[in-house]
Amino acid sequence: MARADFYLIGKPRFREQPLLLVCELARKAVHAGQPLLVLASSAAQAEELDDLLWSFDPDEFLPHQIAGAEEDEDEVEVLIAPPEQSPPMRALVLNLRDEPVPAGFERVLEVVPADESARGPLRARWKHYQSLGLEVKKHDM
């Protein structure tokens, strides 16, 4: 059964830099042997995440790249897709865009901002995924 996991930002370090939570989730995926597709909301966010994945843990390298940069993107463990790129869907998708992820995944991860006023669209997405019959869970981070 497909799943949607919502990660609610609470810890100060994630509040200050929400993409750090994305890095932590990417690390979990890599350690679990699950190729991850990150749907970035903009080219700038894709670049920022690409940079952060190089530096967030000096003791570990997470193989990653931005979609469209090289041919061998099927091989890379963490693929970051800016909106203008539409690489093939993966079983595990982390969504940073404003709209729900269309079908084709087994599990989708949604990062919920700490700012209460920004959570409206995510509530709508929660209901959307539920209406599709997905198992929906929330995790406080």
Side-chain angles (χ1 to χ4, degrees):
M1 177 180 187
R3 266 176 63 180
D5 290 279
F6 285 74
Y7 291 86
L8 281 66
I9 290 178
K11 290 182 184 155
R13 71 190 193 107
F14 295 145
R15 278 176 184 266
E16 285 161 27
Q17 196 165 19
L19 287 180
L20 274 179
L21 175 55
V22 175
C23 291
E24 294 290 354
L25 295 171
R27 179 185 3 219
K28 274 186 171 173
V30 169
H31 286 189
Q34 293 184 301
L36 175 67
L37 174 62
V38 179
L39 299 176
S41 63
S42 66
Q45 185 185 56
E47 295 281 349
E48 186 183 349
L49 180 57
D50 182 52
D51 290 346
L52 197 57
L53 279 166
W54 283 108
S55 63
F56 94 105
D57 185 342
D59 299 323
E60 182 175 26
F61 171 69
L62 298 177
H64 67 280
Q65 72 184 47
I66 295 178
E70 296 170 40
E71 288 75 51
D72 59 349
E73 41 192 57
D74 295 347
E75 311 291 315
V76 74
E77 293 179 71
V78 179
L79 186 63
I80 306 163
E84 62 276 7
Q85 293 288 333
S86 48
M89 194 56 71
R90 291 184 170 186
L92 183 61
V93 179
L94 194 152
N95 187 28
L96 297 172
R97 296 185 185 165
D98 292 337
E99 60 281 335
V101 179
F105 58 84
E106 289 172 24
R107 187 168 168 216
V108 62
L109 312 178
E110 295 273 0
V111 174
V112 182
D115 180 1
E116 189 62 40
S117 66
R119 289 186 170 182
L122 285 129
R123 288 192 184 94
R125 244 181 275 174
W126 177 287
K127 290 182 178 129
H128 171 78
Y129 291 134
Q130 271 184 325
S131 75
L132 297 177
L134 273 68
E135 178 187 353
V136 183
K137 293 190 168 162
K138 113 178 154 62
H139 310 272
D140 291 309
M141 300 305 283

